Amino acid sequence: RKEVEQDPGPFNVPEGATVAFNCTYSNSASQSFFWYRQDCRKEPKLLMSVYSSGNEDGRFTAQLNRASQYISLLIRDSKLSDSATYLCVVNMGSGYSTLTFGKGTMLLVSP
Amino acid sequence: EAEVAQSPRYKITEKSQAVAFWCDPISGHATLYWYRQILGQGPELLVQFQDESVVDDSQLPKDRFSAERLKGVDSTLKIQPAELGDSAMYLCASSHEVEGQFFGPGTRLTVL
């Protein structure tokens, strides 16, 4: 089983739609979780951390389900500029920040 | 806003040649990472430094790759000799303790 698994997509949605991505992780001892966004041929950029209580930042909502070992990202009112690859990232280490990246889910928002 | 600097941004080389990439992390970030990202994949960790010490280099192909961070600030990743399969984006990232990592713009390597 892969350590961090994501549906590669692409998810094709119209502007204004709501879209959700899930990600599963294998290590139950994982301690912290993130969503990164990566535009084509650019570096990954931190989108948001994922907390146990869930967190929201504008149109973006992240949730963590430790019992089922998955995290989710919900994007409301999709914009054209949301088109990118969304990387699920899990810190499976202790002490130092050792991140394991999923392969990413591609989102394409069309007019 | 502080950023991770990398150079060069692009590198084209012939197989069997040596290449080197440089990274300057965000000031004050003790942890520095080198990743390799192949198109369509997520970044894969090559080596992780805490200050000047290597914390994890288990995925670094040590027969041809080397990395150093002599003064615990900037870092160099070297490949010698380069092979066709080394063509990829090489990303440097830095972090402070256990917060998320911040990436540099990467070096896109093409081996001919």
Side-chain angles (χ1 to χ4, degrees), chain A residues 4-9 21-24 35 85-89 101-106:
Chain A
V4 179
E5 288 202 65
Q6 296 182 251
D7 181 342
F21 310 133
N22 286 333
C23 163
T24 58
W35 283 101
T85 295
Y86 291 83
L87 298 164
C88 172
V89 187
F101 287 76
K103 292 185 177 182
T105 297
M106 183 181 291

PDB file of all heavy atoms in Angstrom, chain A residues 4-9 21-24 35 85-89 101-106:
ATOM      1  N   VAL A   4       0.925   7.557   0.809  1.00  0.00           N
ATOM      2  CA  VAL A   4      -0.062   8.621   0.647  1.00  0.00           C
ATOM      3  C   VAL A   4      -0.690   8.442  -0.730  1.00  0.00           C
ATOM      4  O   VAL A   4       0.017   8.467  -1.740  1.00  0.00           O
ATOM      5  CB  VAL A   4       0.587  10.021   0.744  1.00  0.00           C
ATOM      6  CG1 VAL A   4      -0.462  11.107   0.556  1.00  0.00           C
ATOM      7  CG2 VAL A   4       1.291  10.189   2.089  1.00  0.00           C
ATOM      8  N   GLU A   5      -1.992   8.236  -0.763  1.00  0.00           N
ATOM      9  CA  GLU A   5      -2.668   7.962  -2.026  1.00  0.00           C
ATOM     10  C   GLU A   5      -3.704   9.027  -2.346  1.00  0.00           C
ATOM     11  O   GLU A   5      -4.475   9.445  -1.472  1.00  0.00           O
ATOM     12  CB  GLU A   5      -3.354   6.597  -1.973  1.00  0.00           C
ATOM     13  CG  GLU A   5      -2.381   5.436  -2.013  1.00  0.00           C
ATOM     14  CD  GLU A   5      -3.028   4.146  -2.488  1.00  0.00           C
ATOM     15  OE1 GLU A   5      -3.452   4.084  -3.656  1.00  0.00           O
ATOM     16  OE2 GLU A   5      -3.103   3.216  -1.682  1.00  0.00           O
ATOM     17  N   GLN A   6      -3.700   9.426  -3.595  1.00  0.00           N
ATOM     18  CA  GLN A   6      -4.674  10.397  -4.098  1.00  0.00           C
ATOM     19  C   GLN A   6      -5.173   9.939  -5.455  1.00  0.00           C
ATOM     20  O   GLN A   6      -4.440   9.292  -6.207  1.00  0.00           O
ATOM     21  CB  GLN A   6      -4.014  11.764  -4.311  1.00  0.00           C
ATOM     22  CG  GLN A   6      -3.497  12.462  -3.108  1.00  0.00           C
ATOM     23  CD  GLN A   6      -2.920  13.806  -3.482  1.00  0.00           C
ATOM     24  OE1 GLN A   6      -1.705  14.016  -3.458  1.00  0.00           O
ATOM     25  NE2 GLN A   6      -3.789  14.750  -3.818  1.00  0.00           N
ATOM     26  N   ASP A   7      -6.395  10.321  -5.783  1.00  0.00           N
ATOM     27  CA  ASP A   7      -6.923  10.118  -7.131  1.00  0.00           C
ATOM     28  C   ASP A   7      -6.239  11.143  -8.024  1.00  0.00           C
ATOM     29  O   ASP A   7      -6.325  12.336  -7.766  1.00  0.00           O
ATOM     30  CB  ASP A   7      -8.440  10.341  -7.110  1.00  0.00           C
ATOM     31  CG  ASP A   7      -9.083  10.135  -8.466  1.00  0.00           C
ATOM     32  OD1 ASP A   7      -8.372  10.147  -9.499  1.00  0.00           O
ATOM     33  OD2 ASP A   7     -10.317   9.966  -8.509  1.00  0.00           O
ATOM     34  N   PRO A   8      -5.549  10.713  -9.076  1.00  0.00           N
ATOM     35  CA  PRO A   8      -4.809  11.679  -9.899  1.00  0.00           C
ATOM     36  C   PRO A   8      -5.699  12.615 -10.712  1.00  0.00           C
ATOM     37  O   PRO A   8      -5.242  13.649 -11.188  1.00  0.00           O
ATOM     38  CB  PRO A   8      -3.973  10.785 -10.810  1.00  0.00           C
ATOM     39  CG  PRO A   8      -4.724   9.498 -10.866  1.00  0.00           C
ATOM     40  CD  PRO A   8      -5.367   9.346  -9.518  1.00  0.00           C
ATOM     41  N   GLY A   9      -6.992  12.242 -10.893  1.00  0.00           N
ATOM     42  CA  GLY A   9      -7.889  13.050 -11.703  1.00  0.00           C
ATOM     43  C   GLY A   9      -7.579  12.880 -13.186  1.00  0.00           C
ATOM     44  O   GLY A   9      -7.096  11.818 -13.589  1.00  0.00           O
ATOM     45  N   PHE A  21     -11.582  16.726  -2.804  1.00  0.00           N
ATOM     46  CA  PHE A  21     -10.540  15.723  -3.007  1.00  0.00           C
ATOM     47  C   PHE A  21     -10.317  14.979  -1.695  1.00  0.00           C
ATOM     48  O   PHE A  21     -10.326  15.595  -0.629  1.00  0.00           O
ATOM     49  CB  PHE A  21      -9.201  16.365  -3.402  1.00  0.00           C
ATOM     50  CG  PHE A  21      -9.282  17.351  -4.511  1.00  0.00           C
ATOM     51  CD1 PHE A  21      -8.648  18.577  -4.399  1.00  0.00           C
ATOM     52  CD2 PHE A  21      -9.977  17.063  -5.667  1.00  0.00           C
ATOM     53  CE1 PHE A  21      -8.701  19.504  -5.433  1.00  0.00           C
ATOM     54  CE2 PHE A  21     -10.036  17.973  -6.700  1.00  0.00           C
ATOM     55  CZ  PHE A  21      -9.404  19.204  -6.587  1.00  0.00           C
ATOM     56  N   ASN A  22     -10.094  13.692  -1.809  1.00  0.00           N
ATOM     57  CA  ASN A  22      -9.722  12.903  -0.641  1.00  0.00           C
ATOM     58  C   ASN A  22      -8.314  12.360  -0.792  1.00  0.00           C
ATOM     59  O   ASN A  22      -7.798  12.230  -1.910  1.00  0.00           O
ATOM     60  CB  ASN A  22     -10.689  11.730  -0.458  1.00  0.00           C
ATOM     61  CG  ASN A  22     -12.020  12.188   0.077  1.00  0.00           C
ATOM     62  OD1 ASN A  22     -12.128  13.202   0.752  1.00  0.00           O
ATOM     63  ND2 ASN A  22     -13.058  11.421  -0.231  1.00  0.00           N
ATOM     64  N   CYS A  23      -7.745  12.020   0.318  1.00  0.00           N
ATOM     65  CA  CYS A  23      -6.385  11.477   0.339  1.00  0.00           C
ATOM     66  C   CYS A  23      -6.316  10.511   1.508  1.00  0.00           C
ATOM     67  O   CYS A  23      -6.808  10.817   2.599  1.00  0.00           O
ATOM     68  CB  CYS A  23      -5.403  12.635   0.511  1.00  0.00           C
ATOM     69  SG  CYS A  23      -3.748  12.154   1.031  1.00  0.00           S
ATOM     70  N   THR A  24      -5.727   9.346   1.293  1.00  0.00           N
ATOM     71  CA  THR A  24      -5.558   8.390   2.387  1.00  0.00           C
ATOM     72  C   THR A  24      -4.082   8.215   2.699  1.00  0.00           C
ATOM     73  O   THR A  24      -3.224   8.344   1.809  1.00  0.00           O
ATOM     74  CB  THR A  24      -6.164   7.021   2.039  1.00  0.00           C
ATOM     75  OG1 THR A  24      -5.532   6.527   0.851  1.00  0.00           O
ATOM     76  CG2 THR A  24      -7.657   7.130   1.820  1.00  0.00           C
ATOM     77  N   TRP A  35      -2.115  20.453   2.730  1.00  0.00           N
ATOM     78  CA  TRP A  35      -2.420  20.488   1.310  1.00  0.00           C
ATOM     79  C   TRP A  35      -1.510  21.530   0.665  1.00  0.00           C
ATOM     80  O   TRP A  35      -1.408  22.659   1.153  1.00  0.00           O
ATOM     81  CB  TRP A  35      -3.875  20.854   1.059  1.00  0.00           C
ATOM     82  CG  TRP A  35      -4.832  19.730   1.304  1.00  0.00           C
ATOM     83  CD1 TRP A  35      -5.622  19.534   2.389  1.00  0.00           C
ATOM     84  CD2 TRP A  35      -5.107  18.626   0.417  1.00  0.00           C
ATOM     85  NE1 TRP A  35      -6.362  18.389   2.260  1.00  0.00           N
ATOM     86  CE2 TRP A  35      -6.065  17.811   1.046  1.00  0.00           C
ATOM     87  CE3 TRP A  35      -4.640  18.256  -0.853  1.00  0.00           C
ATOM     88  CZ2 TRP A  35      -6.565  16.644   0.464  1.00  0.00           C
ATOM     89  CZ3 TRP A  35      -5.132  17.096  -1.431  1.00  0.00           C
ATOM     90  CH2 TRP A  35      -6.089  16.308  -0.769  1.00  0.00           C
ATOM     91  N   THR A  85      -2.594  21.397  -9.623  1.00  0.00           N
ATOM     92  CA  THR A  85      -2.505  20.073  -8.997  1.00  0.00           C
ATOM     93  C   THR A  85      -2.433  20.261  -7.491  1.00  0.00           C
ATOM     94  O   THR A  85      -1.663  21.094  -7.002  1.00  0.00           O
ATOM     95  CB  THR A  85      -1.270  19.312  -9.496  1.00  0.00           C
ATOM     96  OG1 THR A  85      -1.427  19.047 -10.897  1.00  0.00           O
ATOM     97  CG2 THR A  85      -1.113  17.981  -8.766  1.00  0.00           C
ATOM     98  N   TYR A  86      -3.234  19.510  -6.776  1.00  0.00           N
ATOM     99  CA  TYR A  86      -3.297  19.630  -5.323  1.00  0.00           C
ATOM    100  C   TYR A  86      -2.628  18.405  -4.704  1.00  0.00           C
ATOM    101  O   TYR A  86      -3.040  17.266  -4.924  1.00  0.00           O
ATOM    102  CB  TYR A  86      -4.746  19.779  -4.866  1.00  0.00           C
ATOM    103  CG  TYR A  86      -5.303  21.123  -5.293  1.00  0.00           C
ATOM    104  CD1 TYR A  86      -5.804  21.307  -6.575  1.00  0.00           C
ATOM    105  CD2 TYR A  86      -5.250  22.218  -4.439  1.00  0.00           C
ATOM    106  CE1 TYR A  86      -6.255  22.546  -6.994  1.00  0.00           C
ATOM    107  CE2 TYR A  86      -5.714  23.463  -4.848  1.00  0.00           C
ATOM    108  CZ  TYR A  86      -6.207  23.617  -6.131  1.00  0.00           C
ATOM    109  OH  TYR A  86      -6.652  24.864  -6.548  1.00  0.00           O
ATOM    110  N   LEU A  87      -1.584  18.671  -3.931  1.00  0.00           N
ATOM    111  CA  LEU A  87      -0.772  17.610  -3.335  1.00  0.00           C
ATOM    112  C   LEU A  87      -1.159  17.410  -1.875  1.00  0.00           C
ATOM    113  O   LEU A  87      -1.162  18.367  -1.095  1.00  0.00           O
ATOM    114  CB  LEU A  87       0.715  17.973  -3.419  1.00  0.00           C
ATOM    115  CG  LEU A  87       1.308  18.130  -4.823  1.00  0.00           C
ATOM    116  CD1 LEU A  87       2.635  18.858  -4.754  1.00  0.00           C
ATOM    117  CD2 LEU A  87       1.505  16.780  -5.469  1.00  0.00           C
ATOM    118  N   CYS A  88      -1.455  16.176  -1.550  1.00  0.00           N
ATOM    119  CA  CYS A  88      -1.710  15.798  -0.163  1.00  0.00           C
ATOM    120  C   CYS A  88      -0.373  15.454   0.480  1.00  0.00           C
ATOM    121  O   CYS A  88       0.416  14.696  -0.105  1.00  0.00           O
ATOM    122  CB  CYS A  88      -2.645  14.593  -0.164  1.00  0.00           C
ATOM    123  SG  CYS A  88      -2.922  13.825   1.441  1.00  0.00           S
ATOM    124  N   VAL A  89      -0.102  15.990   1.651  1.00  0.00           N
ATOM    125  CA  VAL A  89       1.213  15.833   2.266  1.00  0.00           C
ATOM    126  C   VAL A  89       1.057  15.444   3.726  1.00  0.00           C
ATOM    127  O   VAL A  89       0.283  16.061   4.460  1.00  0.00           O
ATOM    128  CB  VAL A  89       2.022  17.139   2.157  1.00  0.00           C
ATOM    129  CG1 VAL A  89       3.437  16.915   2.651  1.00  0.00           C
ATOM    130  CG2 VAL A  89       2.033  17.642   0.723  1.00  0.00           C
ATOM    131  N   PHE A 101       4.791  13.074   0.175  1.00  0.00           N
ATOM    132  CA  PHE A 101       3.864  13.686  -0.758  1.00  0.00           C
ATOM    133  C   PHE A 101       3.084  12.638  -1.524  1.00  0.00           C
ATOM    134  O   PHE A 101       3.641  11.609  -1.945  1.00  0.00           O
ATOM    135  CB  PHE A 101       4.624  14.547  -1.772  1.00  0.00           C
ATOM    136  CG  PHE A 101       5.166  15.823  -1.210  1.00  0.00           C
ATOM    137  CD1 PHE A 101       6.295  15.827  -0.403  1.00  0.00           C
ATOM    138  CD2 PHE A 101       4.559  17.028  -1.503  1.00  0.00           C
ATOM    139  CE1 PHE A 101       6.801  17.008   0.122  1.00  0.00           C
ATOM    140  CE2 PHE A 101       5.064  18.225  -0.994  1.00  0.00           C
ATOM    141  CZ  PHE A 101       6.175  18.205  -0.179  1.00  0.00           C
ATOM    142  N   GLY A 102       1.805  12.916  -1.736  1.00  0.00           N
ATOM    143  CA  GLY A 102       1.055  12.135  -2.700  1.00  0.00           C
ATOM    144  C   GLY A 102       1.417  12.581  -4.105  1.00  0.00           C
ATOM    145  O   GLY A 102       2.160  13.552  -4.292  1.00  0.00           O
ATOM    146  N   LYS A 103       0.890  11.872  -5.088  1.00  0.00           N
ATOM    147  CA  LYS A 103       1.210  12.213  -6.477  1.00  0.00           C
ATOM    148  C   LYS A 103       0.430  13.412  -6.974  1.00  0.00           C
ATOM    149  O   LYS A 103       0.732  13.964  -8.027  1.00  0.00           O
ATOM    150  CB  LYS A 103       0.949  11.013  -7.385  1.00  0.00           C
ATOM    151  CG  LYS A 103       1.904   9.858  -7.150  1.00  0.00           C
ATOM    152  CD  LYS A 103       1.684   8.746  -8.162  1.00  0.00           C
ATOM    153  CE  LYS A 103       2.713   7.635  -7.950  1.00  0.00           C
ATOM    154  NZ  LYS A 103       2.555   6.552  -8.950  1.00  0.00           N
ATOM    155  N   GLY A 104      -0.591  13.805  -6.232  1.00  0.00           N
ATOM    156  CA  GLY A 104      -1.353  14.984  -6.609  1.00  0.00           C
ATOM    157  C   GLY A 104      -2.632  14.661  -7.351  1.00  0.00           C
ATOM    158  O   GLY A 104      -2.750  13.626  -8.016  1.00  0.00           O
ATOM    159  N   THR A 105      -3.599  15.560  -7.208  1.00  0.00           N
ATOM    160  CA  THR A 105      -4.865  15.494  -7.929  1.00  0.00           C
ATOM    161  C   THR A 105      -4.974  16.739  -8.790  1.00  0.00           C
ATOM    162  O   THR A 105      -4.862  17.854  -8.280  1.00  0.00           O
ATOM    163  CB  THR A 105      -6.060  15.455  -6.959  1.00  0.00           C
ATOM    164  OG1 THR A 105      -5.981  14.267  -6.167  1.00  0.00           O
ATOM    165  CG2 THR A 105      -7.374  15.474  -7.722  1.00  0.00           C
ATOM    166  N   MET A 106      -5.183  16.535 -10.067  1.00  0.00           N
ATOM    167  CA  MET A 106      -5.268  17.672 -10.976  1.00  0.00           C
ATOM    168  C   MET A 106      -6.697  18.184 -11.053  1.00  0.00           C
ATOM    169  O   MET A 106      -7.637  17.409 -11.222  1.00  0.00           O
ATOM    170  CB  MET A 106      -4.792  17.276 -12.378  1.00  0.00           C
ATOM    171  CG  MET A 106      -4.792  18.439 -13.362  1.00  0.00           C
ATOM    172  SD  MET A 106      -4.265  17.958 -15.002  1.00  0.00           S
ATOM    173  CE  MET A 106      -2.545  17.611 -14.702  1.00  0.00           C
TER     174      MET A 106
END
